[in-house]
Amino acid sequence: MAKEDYKGIWVFAEQENGVLSGTTFELLAKSTDLKKKLGGTDEITAVVLGKSVSGLADSLFEGGAERVVAAENDNLEQYSARPYARVLTQLCEKYKPSIFLFPASPQGRDVAPRVMCELRTGLTADAIDLDVDEDGVFVQTTPNFGGNILSHICIKERRPQMVTVHPKIFSPLPTVKGARGELITEKVEVEADECYAVVSTEKRVFEGKPIANCDVLVSGGRGIKSPEDLEMLRELAELLGGELASSRPLVDCGWLPHEKQIGQSGTTVKPEFILDVAISGSVQYLAGMQNSKCIMSIDHFDGAPIWDVSHYGAVADYTTLIPAVIAEIKARKAGK
Amino acid sequence: MKILVFVKQVPDTDDVKLDPRTGNLMRDGVQSVINPFDANGVEAALQLKAQCGGQVVAISMGPPQADDVLKKALAMGCDESVLLSDRALGGADTLATGYPLAKAAEKIGDYDLLICGRHATDAETAQTGPIIAAFLGIPQVTLVDKVSVEDGYAVCRRLLPDRYETVRVKLPALITVCSEINTPRYPTPINIMKALRKPRAVWNCADLGCDLSMVGAAGSPSSNKKIFEPPKRNTATRFFTGSTEEMARAIVDTLEQEKIL
C-alpha cells in the first residue's frame, strides 16, 4: 500500500471507568489545527475502546471529533496492553489512518509501542509540538539530550505516523454543544489476556494538594543550596496559599518526591501564578510550566532561559531575597 | 529463574550543546554512565535472584565503549553480559532498537523475567521495553515500584499518578521499573575483580540472525529531520531592581496587584 492511501487523523480517546482523559480533548484541538495545515481533507476520528463506550461519542464530537470509532467488547472493560494493542492494530489495518495521536500518559505510553511494533511503523515519544514543516512534512518536536536541544522527528514512509503527545501542551477547543458526527460502533472480537490480571488498586495519598491542581506554586531548582533553603520556599508557598514544587534535580537528589516535580518527566502545571527560584529553565522544565498565567522568577544568572517565559523577575541571590519577601508579606499581613 | 536486564549508556549531563558551525552535537568531554533507571533494574534483578536463585544476564546495545555499562552491571553482581555491537545497528530508532534486543533474548532463550528501566534519561521514549515485549509476544508491566515472584507469576505494583495498581502477570514477562523500587548497590572491589572473569559475549547481526532490513537507520521508520536550539520566546520580563528590600517590596506589590495575596 502506498502511503497516499492512508488518510485522516486519529486520536486515541483514553478512558478510565467511562471518563475520558483531558488530553484526549487537547489532541482533538491540535488535530483541527493539523487538518488545516495539511489541506483540510483529513477527517478527524476519535477511537475509544471499552465495554460499552459509544455513549462517550457525543462529548468527543463536542470536543472536535468528526467521526468516532467505538470498539466494544466485554474484554476491553479494564485496560490491559495486549487486548488493547490487538484491537487498535486491527482498526488501523481496516481504516488506514495517516496520523495516530496518543496521550503520553501511562496508558498511552504502555499501549502505543505495541501497536507501532505490530504495524512496523514509527512512534515519536512524548512530543511537545506537532506541525507541518516548510516541506509539507508532518513533524513532531521532542526535547533531546537532557533538554537544551529540540528535534524534529518525522516518519517518512510508514503509516500511520504515530505519536504520543505530552499532556497540557495544547488547549482544548471550546465545547460545541450539540455538535454531532458519524458514530461507528465496532463489535470487535478479542480475547482477554489470561496472563495479566489487576488484582488490586490503592489510591495514593499525597502530602498537600497535587501540584497539577494548584493555583499558586513556588518551585525550586538546581541552584537551591540546602534542604533548609527548600523549607524557606515551602514557608513562602504556604504564605501565598500554594504548594512547593521543583524541577528535576531536587527530585533526583531525594529532597522532594517525584509527584512534586514539574516538567516533561514530571507533572505539567498551569497555575495562576508560579514563582521559580534558582531554576535556569531547561526545555523539559519550560514544557511543564510555560502555560502558567503569571510567571515570576528569581535567579542569579541574567542569561538563563527562564527569562524567556517570565513576566516578572529579579536577578538576585535568593538566599537574601526570599527571606526579605517573606518578612515583607508577614509585615503587611500583620498591618492589616 | 533466568532474568535478562537491559541497560543503556547515556550521557552524564543535561548540558549538551550544538556546534554553531556544523549543527551537530558537541559530545567532546561528555562522560557516559549507566541509565539510572537501568541501575534500578539491575538491582531488582539481583534482589530477585537472591530470593529465588537463578541467573542474571545484562544486555546492552551500542558501540564497543557501551561495554562500560555492562562491566558496571557485572560488578554489581550480574552473572553474564551480552553486548550487541555492529555498525549495521547504528542510527536505530526505537523499533530498530527493540528488534535486535528481542532477538538477543530469543538467542539466550529460557528467560523468565525481562527488566528495563522506566525510560532512559537521554531520549526519554519509554518505548524499548514494550517493543521488546511485543516482538517476543509476552506481557509487559510498566512503571513497577515493587516486584516479587511466586509460582511462575510476578506480582508487580505499578506506580501510577493517582494510584498503585497491583498486577499479577504470568512469566515470562517484561517489567519496566521506577527509581522508587530500590537503591542500586555500589560495586565492591571484590565484585569488580570478579567481574573481569565473568562470561562476556559480543554479538553482531549475523550472530543474532537479524533481518538486516529491520535494524539500524535503514530499519528505522522514524528519523531526525532536524535538530535545533529552542526558539527564544521573548516574553517581556519586568525586572525588579534595587536593594534586596526594594526588590522584596516590589515583588509583594506585584503579588497584590496580581491578586495572589
Side-chain angles (χ1 to χ4, degrees), chain A residues 110 133 135 152 202 312 332, chain B residues 142 164 166 225 253 258:
Chain A
D110 198 59
D133 76 358
D135 306 323
H152 267 171
E202 182 193 341
Y312 300 99
R332 291 195 198 189
Chain B
T142 50
Y164 298 107
T166 302
K225 193 159 186 286
D253 286 345
E258 295 280 348

Side-chain angles (χ1 to χ4, degrees), chain A residues 218-238:
Chain A
V218 174
S219 179
R222 187 190 294 278
I224 299 294
K225 297 185 180 103
S226 67
E228 291 72 32
D229 284 2
L230 197 58
E231 286 311 306
M232 188 165 80
L233 299 190
R234 194 191 300 277
E235 184 187 359
L236 179 56
E238 280 165 10

Side-chain angles (χ1 to χ4, degrees), chain A residues 54 77 99 121 128-129 140 153 163 169 219 233 238 253 274 285 313 332:
Chain A
S54 41
E77 182 170 21
I99 292 173
T121 184
I128 57 167
D129 200 7
Q140 305 90 46
I153 312 283
V163 190
I169 298 283
S219 179
L233 299 190
E238 280 165 10
C253 73
I274 183 166
Y285 182 76
R332 291 195 198 189

